Amino acid sequence: MMLQSFENFQLPNLQDAYDVVICGGGIAGITLARQLRLNLPKISILVCDRLARPLPEATFKVGESTVEIGAHYFTETLQLKDYIQQYHLPKLGLRYFVGDPQAPFGERPEIGVRNFEIFHSDFTYQLDRGKLENDLRNFNIEAGIDLLENCSIQDVKLTDGEEFHTVIYKKLDTKETQSVKARWVVDATGRRRLLQNKLGLGKANAKNRSAVWFRLDGRVDVSDLVPLTESKWHAQVPNNLRYYSTNHLMGEGYWVWLIPLSSGCTSVGIVASDEVHNFHNYHTYEKACQWLQKHEPALADYLKDRQPKDFMKIPKYSHSSHQVFSQNRWACVGEAAAFVDPLFSPGFDLIFLANSLTTELIKLDLNNKLSQRTVDHANVFYIDTIDQLNLVYENIYALIGKKPITFALQSVWGALVSWSTLSTVSLNSVILDPDRMAKFQPVLAEIYSLAHRVQQLLNDWSDNSSNRLKFEYFDYLGELPFVDEMRSLHVKFNKTDQELINGCKDSLKLLEELAQVIFLLAVEDTMPEKLQNFSQPIWLNAWGISLNPDQWEQDGLFEPKSLPRDLNPVMAPLRKSIYSNYQPYVLEVERETANAGVAVGV
Ligand SMILES: Cc1cc2nc3c(=O)[nH]c(=O)nc-3n(C[C@H](O)[C@H](O)[C@H](O)COP(=O)(O)OP(=O)(O)OC[C@H]3O[C@@H](n4cnc5c(N)ncnc54)[C@H](O)[C@@H]3O)c2cc1C
């Protein structure tokens, strides 16, 4: 793919009317334009943005790290694989440093993968936003999409019937006000949320969290926080590859990110819950350094005297909407629709969902097939997804900075649930069709109800842990074959619905096993004497698990929903990373291992 220079750029000869006008040419707007062009080559598209190229590299916007769905969106849906691989960095997964932030860095329990081979080429990426947005704007122009830069959208006059909408904008250089007609208007103005504000659709998300971030020249590498003499620590992830992960340094109510960028800079950010950390204690660079000194001293010492290239902040970043799509031919995408939380980097996933639904609605409209039912489905699916994510994040933030073991198991559990639900239905376009989606509802509902049960258990475990179960290094892909298998199964596309439903059912079986294993570990940690209540071989009702023994009978814990299966393929690999100082357990494992492989549970 050729990268264009800016000198050759000329203002487009604008049409009076377009099939689609996209207000805002940030990442959501320009990716939607490309997706529309690839799907509907004949339609006319205009993208308008306040900012003109060249956009600054490295120090442009926040949102640099992709996970599976977002990476798939760039490489497959938008057909940018060669470009992304050539000009951006591969990502070595999500990596977390948990435990006591005041301890020497090398002593903190670590969760992360060890090398790139484990991804079997299904990579995720670290994106330099300035570079990406410059290049995508150029690719769009080459593809015949009109781009109006340096112009600020003032208003959108929406119409009810077949008449086109009017988008009113001001040219920032000449101060002239002009307008253009549009069959479809898409709001991609990010936090400006043009349509949401105009139509009063905004919805606050429950808890407030805030963030600041800055970019530094050169490498900020967690490997530098541990002396080279700690050879065992360095050998866990050879060749300083930790640098390529999105590194999270976690403490109570906060996490700090380190993300490498292809421009050679590193992005550093602080995200904190307002309930635990007052935003004004870290909302300037100077204060952020003081805050880091208090909460993440190893990193603060390492960063001392380095000057940031920028410093940005967003207090209370989470928001949602009551409606994002309309049969009246408007849609909201990206942060103009909703944003939940940056932990686990879901921003591009949500852009993929809203952009794909918008593309489908526009396609149906152009074929005279757009119905209220399809629009309602799109709204319900998108807003429910945001609501679900909100709930999940509330629970996860309650685990952050507390017991390393519960956070480690949550990261595995959360990834498996997400791959077997959202990834499956979104990567295979099921979400675009209410009839197809309905076929998945029964199995998805079972997975979600189990997920809810396990999440509650993890939160209760975290509150009651005796710290009996520990780990030093937890490789969630390389050392847990069942996780790797699930990732390979679900982070795939072009499958038939029956194959997908069968895949979800297989996942449900695995999740049923993992839920029981997590339960047994939780019991071992919090009330080991109760382990004797379970007769071997253990097989329970996963939907009845809890840390309240008085409820076990009533919740049907001892009445499994399925025939017994062996828990060992899930328990044994977990046991390789997790060790226990509960002596009766250790002795039992040693005895059983000597006889017949690693024991399960008690
Ligand atoms: C702290 C934090 C960390 C994050 N980290 C990640 C991450 O690691 N991975 C991830 O996937 N996501 C992440 N996200 C989310 C990610 O940043 C967003 O999903 C993404 O940037 C949203 O893109 P957008 O195009 O909607 O908005 P923007 O990129 O903000 O684009 C909006 C565009 O609209 C233009 N505009 C606004 N108003 C007007 C107007 N009136 N007229 C004309 N143009 C206008 C602006 O100039 C801008 O170009 C993070 C978010 C936060 C808050």
Side-chain angles (χ1 to χ4, degrees):
M1 194 162 278
M2 287 283 292
L3 294 187
Q4 229 190 29
S5 77
F6 301 109
E7 286 103 63
N8 304 329
F9 178 68
Q10 298 197 326
L11 275 178
N13 291 322
L14 288 193
Q15 301 174 196
D16 295 333
Y18 285 83
D19 292 309
V20 184
V21 172
I22 300 175
C23 305
I27 195 67
I30 46 181
T31 50
L32 174 65
R34 183 175 173 90
Q35 191 173 359
L36 286 169
R37 171 55 74 242
L38 289 168
N39 278 270
L40 299 162
K42 295 202 177 123
I43 66 170
S44 54
I45 306 167
L46 172 69
V47 180
C48 310
D49 201 285
R50 282 184 315 209
L51 304 175
R53 290 157 300 149
L55 307 166
E57 291 198 358
T59 56
F60 190 40
K61 290 181 184 163
V62 74
E64 295 144 328
S65 182
T66 61
V67 285
E68 280 77 5
I69 298 178
H72 164 93
Y73 184 47
F74 284 107
T75 57
E76 307 302 331
T77 312
L78 300 178
Q79 301 175 12
L80 289 167
K81 192 170 199 158
D82 292 347
Y83 162 76
I84 297 278
Q85 289 190 340
Q86 192 171 350
Y87 293 101
H88 298 270
L89 293 179
K91 168 175 159 183
L92 191 64
L94 299 162
R95 180 176 305 281
Y96 308 95
F97 294 92
V98 289
D100 180 7
Q102 306 300 325
F105 200 80
E107 288 177 16
R108 290 176 82 169
E110 179 177 352
I111 304 162
V113 294
R114 294 178 200 273
N115 56 51
F116 280 107
E117 282 74 57
I118 192 69
F119 290 102
H120 321 296
S121 87
D122 287 326
F123 292 120
T124 52
Y125 300 90
Q126 311 285 21
L127 305 173
D128 184 310
R129 280 291 288 275
K131 172 151 194 57
L132 181 67
E133 293 194 19
N134 276 322
D135 293 339
L136 278 179
R137 284 188 185 194
N138 290 339
F139 298 159
N140 281 350
I141 292 166
E142 280 170 28
I145 294 163
D146 282 349
L147 173 67
L148 201 52
E149 297 179 311
N150 245 333
C151 79
S152 169
I153 312 279
Q154 305 294 293
D155 195 9
V156 178
K157 301 257 181 255
L158 297 171
T159 61
D160 280 339
E162 277 297 295
E163 209 183 311
F164 277 27
H165 307 301
T166 307
V167 177
I168 300 159
Y169 61 90
K170 187 194 252 180
K171 290 186 161 179
L172 293 175
D173 45 3
T174 61
K175 310 285 179 226
E176 264 176 282
T177 298
Q178 298 194 342
S179 66
V180 61
K181 298 274 181 192
R183 176 159 181 82
W184 273 83
V185 171
V186 180
D187 182 4
T189 56
R191 288 178 174 268
R192 166 71 180 80
R193 292 188 270 162
L194 196 77
L195 288 183
Q196 213 178 82
N197 287 329
K198 180 183 168 77
L199 302 174
L201 296 171
K203 186 165 105 178
N205 284 337
K207 291 273 169 67
N208 283 324
R209 291 182 283 273
S210 302
V212 301
W213 62 94
F214 48 95
R215 264 62 61 130
L216 294 166
D217 262 327
R219 218 171 147 115
V220 176
D221 188 343
V222 282
S223 301
D224 294 338
L225 304 183
V226 178
L228 284 173
T229 47
E230 305 272 342
S231 49
K232 184 179 163 215
W233 188 90
H234 285 279
Q236 298 272 29
V237 186
N239 305 321
N240 290 351
L241 285 180
R242 287 177 171 95
Y243 170 70
Y244 292 97
S245 299
T246 295
N247 284 288
H248 302 71
L249 281 49
M250 324 279 296
E252 186 161 355
Y254 76 84
W255 53 281
V256 173
W257 82 66
L258 302 175
I259 299 177
L261 301 175
S262 60
S263 47
C265 301
T266 307
S267 168
V268 182
I270 301 173
V271 180
S273 162
D274 291 357
E275 276 176 359
V276 187
H277 297 273
N278 187 330
F279 184 58
H280 292 103
N281 289 340
Y282 62 98
H283 77 313
T284 63
Y285 184 65
E286 198 188 355
K287 289 199 167 179
C289 291
Q290 289 163 5
W291 187 96
L292 284 173
Q293 195 65 56
K294 182 168 173 199
H295 297 284
E296 289 291 341
L299 179 65
D301 288 343
Y302 175 69
L303 296 183
K304 210 168 248 162
D305 302 329
R306 286 176 80 159
Q307 285 310 309
K309 291 169 77 73
D310 64 344
F311 185 85
M312 302 200 199
K313 56 190 158 196
I314 304 185
K316 307 187 193 320
Y317 50 66
S318 189
H319 63 268
S320 185
S321 182
H322 291 288
Q323 183 185 356
V324 284
F325 308 106
S326 167
Q327 197 180 7
N328 215 14
R329 305 181 319 275
W330 57 259
C332 305
V333 297
E335 290 200 337
F339 180 68
V340 185
D341 198 278
L343 185 62
F344 310 136
S345 314
F348 298 123
D349 297 7
L350 294 175
I351 287 174
F352 167 63
L353 296 184
N355 281 4
S356 300
L357 288 163
T358 303
T359 303
E360 183 66 13
L361 297 182
I362 292 176
K363 212 191 275 181
L364 288 170
D365 176 48
L366 294 178
N367 289 319
N368 276 325
K369 287 188 179 156
L370 184 63
S371 67
Q372 188 63 49
R373 176 172 176 256
T374 319
V375 176
D376 289 347
H377 158 76
N379 273 312
V380 169
F381 173 78
Y382 184 83
I383 293 167
D384 275 3
T385 302
I386 297 289
D387 289 347
Q388 286 270 1
L389 284 174
N390 260 317
L391 265 180
V392 170
Y393 278 110
E394 291 311 316
N395 286 315
I396 292 171
Y397 271 84
L399 296 178
I400 288 180
K402 303 226 173 113
K403 307 296 185 237
I405 185 70
T406 52
F407 186 77
L409 291 171
Q410 154 61 46
S411 56
V412 169
W413 176 262
L416 293 186
V417 170
S418 167
W419 292 335
S420 43
T421 54
L422 197 57
S423 299
T424 301
V425 292
S426 55
L427 297 184
N428 290 280
S429 308
V430 177
I431 57 165
L432 306 180
D433 181 344
D435 293 328
R436 286 181 71 196
M437 201 58 205
K439 291 194 271 175
F440 287 75
Q441 283 311 341
V443 63
L444 294 185
E446 278 202 80
I447 295 178
Y448 286 131
S449 80
L450 185 58
H452 181 71
R453 196 86 194 181
V454 171
Q455 190 64 58
Q456 185 61 51
L457 179 101
L458 286 167
N459 285 73
D460 292 344
W461 179 5
S462 177
D463 290 341
N464 295 293
S465 172
S466 67
N467 282 328
R468 196 168 278 131
L469 295 181
K470 297 185 192 294
F471 65 92
E472 285 169 12
Y473 193 97
F474 191 84
D475 180 346
Y476 52 85
L477 272 185
E479 277 153 23
L480 302 181
F482 62 92
V483 178
D484 188 30
E485 272 165 36
M486 279 269 261
R487 186 176 185 273
S488 307
L489 178 69
H490 290 295
V491 185
K492 286 281 174 295
F493 51 104
N494 291 339
K495 289 194 186 172
T496 66
D497 283 2
Q498 201 48 55
E499 284 169 338
L500 293 171
I501 290 171
N502 291 343
C504 288
K505 287 183 178 163
D506 288 345
S507 303
L508 182 59
K509 283 186 178 169
L510 176 66
L511 291 169
E512 185 185 15
E513 291 160 18
L514 180 59
Q516 293 179 63
V517 167
I518 292 176
F519 168 68
L520 292 171
L521 293 171
V523 172
E524 181 184 332
D525 189 42
T526 55
M527 46 182 125
E529 69 289 352
K530 296 281 183 204
L531 286 173
Q532 64 200 20
N533 289 29
F534 311 113
S535 52
Q536 294 276 4
I538 296 173
W539 186 254
L540 302 162
N541 173 4
W543 285 260
I545 59 173
S546 76
L547 286 185
N548 183 357
D550 296 341
Q551 282 291 120
W552 286 352
E553 290 285 351
Q554 202 179 325
D555 290 351
L557 179 66
F558 302 104
E559 293 158 31
K561 285 187 167 193
S562 52
L563 291 173
R565 298 191 296 275
D566 184 7
L567 291 179
N568 214 33
V570 176
M571 180 63 102
L574 272 171
R575 272 293 179 194
K576 281 193 185 154
S577 306
I578 299 169
Y579 57 90
S580 164
N581 58 9
Y582 175 49
Q583 289 308 317
Y585 174 83
V586 173
L587 292 176
E588 184 80 1
V589 169
E590 282 169 0
R591 188 168 54 74
E592 300 237 350
T593 309
N595 293 338
V598 182
V600 171
V602 289

